[in-house]
Amino acid sequence: MRVLVVGSGAREHALLLALAADPAVTALAAAPGNAGTAGLAEHPGLADPTSGPAVVDLARRWKADLVVVGPEAPLVAGVGDALREAGIPCFGPTAAAARIEGSKAFAKDVMAAAGVPTAASEVVDTPARLDAVLDEFGAPWVVKDDGLAAGKGVLVTTDRDDARAHACGLLEDGHPVLFESFLDGPEVSLFCCVDGTDVVPLLPAQDAKRLGDDDAGPNTGGMGAYAPLPWAPPSLVDDVVERIVRPVAAEMVRRGTPFSGLLYAGLALTASGPQVVEFNARFGDPETQAVLALMRSSLSSLLLATATGRLGSEPAPTWADGYAVTVVVAAEGYPGAVRTGEVITGSEAPGVLHAGTRRRDDGAVVSAGGRVLSVVGTGDTLAEARADAYARVGAVHLPAGHARTDIARAAVEGRIAVPG
Ligand code: GLY
């Protein structure tokens, strides 16, 4: 099978690594890819990954049997529709179905219709409503950009002035603001392959969204993750599939916009059960780097079965025993403006996945984005996987780069509990 992966992050690097290890895959391409994916996949070049016609043209020229769309922006822009119209199997939903990520208000509407538990919410599109809504919700305030913001549009704060200022900033930029009630409980990311009605869950993971240790600082796209979750109730995956993912998939079918691709349920495990924080329409980053490090069955078979509506007859994925931990190495300034062009050393070691990197003409690998590397360790225990990941982080060098030092630490120390 010839597989084309669209995207250029560490999530796409992880997808390519798993596909490269899959005997059913005969050729791989990454578009546009990054300095780390060049050794794994052809880089045929793609100027605009959000252009449906450009992706279709490339898929035809490269003779792709399957196109896997990594990031959300091409999906929301309709790349999945263009591939379907061209008769090319695509792992990734149509634009109409990707609205479950692209519009938080739409996702809330789907959840309400499907009877799925989630935080109470209200969308505000004028500053005149702000004070009344801030009073209504009370602290802690959860203030989100209603559109795509790569995780960085979310502010959770007990400071009313900060909440108001964040909301005003979003409104000034022309973005409606979603206020939500705060969900108290540990967060879980559960990725499910969905082909309309059939649902196949992957391993549950947890990501670290805040910039600093002990969840200090602003929200980011994600600074690390681990899988599976030693503290989670054994029934968690089945419960979430039955109570949340299947009803949402059925509601999408009922609306005439079936979801086909990766439905990412971001959950809080509250005292009253799992509640949805958000849905995404693609693999999560950096959780994918940990989850796929443990996959032992054929990823290409699972993705193609999803893309072609044959998930019901696909065997369940199999996993290595043990755990995986991924730690993101970010550039100075991330999640704000970053300095790029810094020379990175040690980035070709096993377990070092690339995100914002490029290879200079002189052969040096240099930084080219905010999240630069995603370093993955594995082990029989979560403590061993964590130690392995941090040993690998210690062997790479990005000038002024920074990484959290506490990824998976609370879980190793038994400090995560679902409220009773
Ligand atoms: N890990 C958060 C995300 O992928 O959106």
Side-chain angles (χ1 to χ4, degrees), residues 214-229:
D214 300 317
D215 292 329
N219 262 54
T220 68
M223 293 299 290
Y226 63 96
L229 307 175

Side-chain angles (χ1 to χ4, degrees), residues 11 28 56 90 94 163 193 206 209 228 255 271 273 298 327 346 350 387 412:
R11 164 186 48 211
L28 275 175
V56 167
C90 169
T94 60
C193 289
Q206 186 180 57
K209 293 198 172 70
R255 287 174 181 233
S298 166
V327 178
V412 166

Side-chain angles (χ1 to χ4, degrees), residues 207 209 221-222 264 278 280 282-287:
D207 73 342
K209 293 198 172 70
Y264 162 151
E278 64 178 359
N280 293 317
R282 37 79 196 172
F283 280 98
D285 187 345
E287 299 97 313

